[in-house]
Amino acid sequence: DVDAAIAFYEKAFGFKKKVVVPGPDGRSYHAELLHGNCTVMVGRPMPDSGYKTPQQLGGSPATVYVYVKNVDAIEKR
């Protein structure tokens, strides 16, 4: 539930909305939230895309994206 996550991160940690993308049902589909110079992205599962959620794979219900200056160096490390 992207809308519930937005409300939680705003209240608990002081995040601010950067981008909120509504889905066809009017509920938020994707959001980018700011805290200082850090961005957290929150989104709904996309079952039609062929991607499985972490829960469907037996893992965490969260995915973390980390932006780095040199992704190739990080990948090699």
Side-chain angles (χ1 to χ4, degrees):
D1 184 337
V2 173
D3 293 310
I6 291 169
F8 173 78
Y9 286 119
E10 286 178 323
K11 183 177 180 181
F13 304 110
F15 277 82
K16 304 292 181 197
K17 295 174 197 163
K18 178 180 177 183
V19 175
V20 178
V21 179
D25 60 0
R27 294 173 32 225
S28 297
Y29 188 77
H30 170 82
E32 295 181 19
L33 308 173
L34 292 173
H35 191 280
N37 64 354
C38 298
T39 300
V40 171
M41 293 191 285
V42 181
R44 296 194 323 207
M46 300 180 287
D48 295 337
S49 68
Y51 294 108
K52 293 189 177 195
T53 67
Q55 284 180 317
Q56 290 170 323
L57 296 172
S60 169
T63 302
V64 178
Y65 291 86
V66 178
Y67 289 93
V68 296
K69 290 184 180 184
N70 189 336
V71 69
D72 293 328
I74 297 296
E75 191 275 331
K76 285 179 184 178
R77 188 177 72 193

